[in-house]
């Protein structure tokens, strides 16, 4: 019919424009034409599976060993975690070494425990000092412990108990971030490098029976000679502090790259050399301060300064062995304490405190807390520490005991324990 023709044409036009509308197909004798340039393939709807958040129960014990003054989580970090639904118990006086008091933690929402055993009922223990024998006895099977490692103090029977209880142990000084660096090590290294020069200045003064030398020197008097062994972060910040005080600085390292990077970072030319025994011995014999800042190799710092080299140093000169927590790079070094930080050998003052950053504990505590708090938040978002370990290679790098297995090769080799590769283990489980 002529009158219906415009209607049919109009309907056909609508179909070509919106052929998916089934209401326009009603009453038609022919199926609509669909251009070959289109494809009509039904797609499955995909939904992102969000892991179920897990409430954390974190315990922060008071440190009673290793002359530790730092605390792993500050009240500000505790407040953030509690406001996100997590439970935190803090042992009485845990933060006093860093001038954080019980009232600060209770106001942040934490529960204060007056018995250490109460703290160790938490599923995750966060410490600023290595695990002691007393604490291992209080630990519950299957707990998670995040703390540093001091290799010279690590004992075989402590590891055996951790393995027996199937505890997950994470060394926070071995945790890597997404850029592949060690954030806590870097922060502590910056502190240790700067503080090592301030410590050397202290022991050069008469107050501590030193030679009575001002480290920076003044007009008309030659500057103090500072020798730094190691061009890593500790060496860089020791050099910055020494230059800032006006000292003459010489830096040794076996990596040309690190020496170049250090000079570039501090923005000035200075004496640099590879660690060659004859040159090193000559420079040590005229140095007023020697800072040991070598990086460890397989968990142990190589000894590059022999007993004979130290015996030829000037009387009253100062050795600050920052690398003593991994064995030290001076043959004459052995660990000391904050109560008795120095000793003399060949009339050379040795300062060999392992946790040197603990002398400026509030700064160090904030630096540690700034790293650990986001890790705890991410752990909760992913569903717990186990899920975090599986998801983050940088966290796996810090795991040295995992549910009854030693997963750190240098530690296993040192104590002659069986070593298990954590990556392979998780891949087999997954």
């Amino acid at each position: 019919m002529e009158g219906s023709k415009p209607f049919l044409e109009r309907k056909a036009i609508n179909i070509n424009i919106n052929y998916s509308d089934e209401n326009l197909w009603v009453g038609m004798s022919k199926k609509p034409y669909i251009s070959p340039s289109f494809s009509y393939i039904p797609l499955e709807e995909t939904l992102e599976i969000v892991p179920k958040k897990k409430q954390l129960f974190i315990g922060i014990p008071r440190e009673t060993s290793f002359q530790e003054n730092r605390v792993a989580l500050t009240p500000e970090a505790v407040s953030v975690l509690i406001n996100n639904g997590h439970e935190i118990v803090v042992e009485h006086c845990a933060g006093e070494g860093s001038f954080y008091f019980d009232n600060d933690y209770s106001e942040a929402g934490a529960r204060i425990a007056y018995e250490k055993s109460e703290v160790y009922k938490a599923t995750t223990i966060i410490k600023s000092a290595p695990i002691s024998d007393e604490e291992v006895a209080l630990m519950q099977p299957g707990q998670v412990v995040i703390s540093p490692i001091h290799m010279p103090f690590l004992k075989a029977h402590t590891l055996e108990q951790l393995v027996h209880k199937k505890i997950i142990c994470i060394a926070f000084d071995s945790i890597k971030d997404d850029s592949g660096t060690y954030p806590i090590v870097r922060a502590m290294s910056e502190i240790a490098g700067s503080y090592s020069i301030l410590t050397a200045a202290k022991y050069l003064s008469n107050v501590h029976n030193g030679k009575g030398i001002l480290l920076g020197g003044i007009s008309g008097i030659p500057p103090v000679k500072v020798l730094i062994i190691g061009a890593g972060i500790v060496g860089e910040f020791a050099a910055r502090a020494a230059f800032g005080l006006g000292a003459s600085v010489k830096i040794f390292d076996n990596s040309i790259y690190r020496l170049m990077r250090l000079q570039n970072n501090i923005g000035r030319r200075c004496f640099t050399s590879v660690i060659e025994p004859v040159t090193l011995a000559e420079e040590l014999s005229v140095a007023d301060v020697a800072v040991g800042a070598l990086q460890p190799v397989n968990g142990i710092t190589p000894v590059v300064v022999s007993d004979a080299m130290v015996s030829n140093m000037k009387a009253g000169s100062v050795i600050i062995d920052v690398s003593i927590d991994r064995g030290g790079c001076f043959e004459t070094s052995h660990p000391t304490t904050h109560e008795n930080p120095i000793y003399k050998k060949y009339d050379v003052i040795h300062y060999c405190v392992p946790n040197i950053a603990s002398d400026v504990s509030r700064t160090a505590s904030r630096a540690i807390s700034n790293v650990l708090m986001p890790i705890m938040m991410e752990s909760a978002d992913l569903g717990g520490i186990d899920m975090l370990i599986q998801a983050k290679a940088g966290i796996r790098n810090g795991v040295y005991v995992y549910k009854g297995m030693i997963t750190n090769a240098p530690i296993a080799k040192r104590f002659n324990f069986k070593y298990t590769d954590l990556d392979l283990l998780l891949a087999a489980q997954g």
Side-chain angles (χ1 to χ4, degrees), residues 111-137:
R111 177 165 58 90
I112 305 300
Y114 289 85
E115 296 291 336
K116 192 177 286 289
S117 58
E118 286 296 310
V119 178
Y120 279 88
K121 291 179 181 178
T123 55
T124 301
I125 305 296
I126 303 181
K127 292 171 44 60
S128 54
I131 302 166
S132 67
D133 292 339
E134 175 195 354
E135 290 165 329
V136 172

Side-chain angles (χ1 to χ4, degrees), residues 92-404:
H92 172 56
C93 296
E96 281 195 347
S98 299
F99 279 80
Y100 292 120
F101 303 103
D102 289 350
N103 187 54
D104 299 321
Y105 282 105
S106 61
E107 287 183 354
R111 177 165 58 90
I112 305 300
Y114 289 85
E115 296 291 336
K116 192 177 286 289
S117 58
E118 286 296 310
V119 178
Y120 279 88
K121 291 179 181 178
T123 55
T124 301
I125 305 296
I126 303 181
K127 292 171 44 60
S128 54
I131 302 166
S132 67
D133 292 339
E134 175 195 354
E135 290 165 329
V136 172
L138 294 173
M139 288 179 184
Q140 310 297 319
Q143 267 183 329
V144 177
V145 179
I146 302 174
S147 68
I149 291 182
H150 289 170
M151 290 293 284
F153 298 99
L154 194 60
K155 300 175 183 177
H157 67 84
T158 303
L159 275 175
E160 288 174 350
Q161 292 181 68
L162 294 171
V163 169
H164 177 71
K165 292 188 175 183
K166 296 187 177 181
I167 292 170
I168 298 176
C169 299
I170 303 174
F172 66 49
D173 43 355
S174 296
I175 291 174
K176 290 184 178 180
D177 59 18
D178 292 338
S179 64
T181 60
Y182 300 88
I184 291 180
V185 170
R186 180 180 177 87
M188 295 305 105
S189 297
E190 291 181 11
I191 292 171
S194 298
Y195 192 68
S196 65
I197 299 301
L198 300 179
T199 303
K202 180 171 67 176
Y203 288 107
L204 285 173
S205 70
N206 292 112
V207 177
H208 295 277
N209 299 318
K211 295 169 67 175
I213 298 176
L214 178 65
L215 192 143
I218 60 171
S219 301
I221 299 176
V224 165
K225 297 179 176 66
V226 175
L227 186 146
I228 299 171
I229 305 173
I233 304 301
V234 175
E236 177 185 331
F237 278 79
R240 287 178 185 272
F243 279 128
L245 291 172
S248 170
V249 180
K250 298 182 179 181
I251 305 162
F252 285 77
D253 197 290
N254 271 336
S255 169
I256 298 297
Y257 165 73
R258 282 196 291 268
L259 292 170
M260 292 171 61
R261 183 186 62 187
L262 184 145
Q263 287 196 122
N264 182 65
N265 289 350
I266 63 178
R268 63 187 295 173
R269 302 288 296 177
C270 57
F271 178 102
T272 58
S273 173
V274 296
I275 300 176
E276 191 275 312
V278 174
T279 305
L280 180 60
E282 289 176 355
E283 296 300 334
L284 279 168
S285 66
V286 297
D288 299 294
V289 175
V291 177
L294 276 180
Q295 295 182 349
V297 178
N298 293 326
I300 302 295
T301 305
V303 175
V304 297
V305 179
S306 67
D307 188 277
M309 291 181 185
V310 174
S311 68
N312 288 326
M313 291 179 68
K314 294 188 295 185
S317 55
V318 179
I319 287 175
I320 310 291
D321 199 346
V322 181
S323 56
I324 191 66
D325 59 340
R326 296 299 176 101
C329 58
F330 292 83
E331 190 175 7
T332 53
S333 293
H334 62 76
T336 58
T337 66
H338 287 292
E339 286 80 10
N340 297 293
I342 63 169
Y343 62 92
K344 285 187 178 182
K345 187 169 185 179
Y346 304 119
D347 286 327
V348 176
I349 298 170
H350 290 63
Y351 179 95
C352 305
V353 177
N355 53 340
I356 186 172
S358 187
D359 258 359
V360 283
S361 57
R362 192 176 178 96
T363 298
S365 296
R366 293 181 66 183
I368 294 171
S369 185
N370 287 345
V371 175
L372 293 183
M373 187 269 289
I375 289 176
M376 291 296 97
M377 293 286 290
E378 187 175 15
S379 165
D381 291 341
L382 291 173
I385 292 291
D386 268 322
M387 299 303 295
L388 181 68
I389 290 172
Q390 292 182 31
K392 294 288 184 178
I395 303 297
R396 290 199 297 276
N397 193 71
V399 179
Y400 62 98
V401 177
Y402 184 80
K403 298 181 179 180

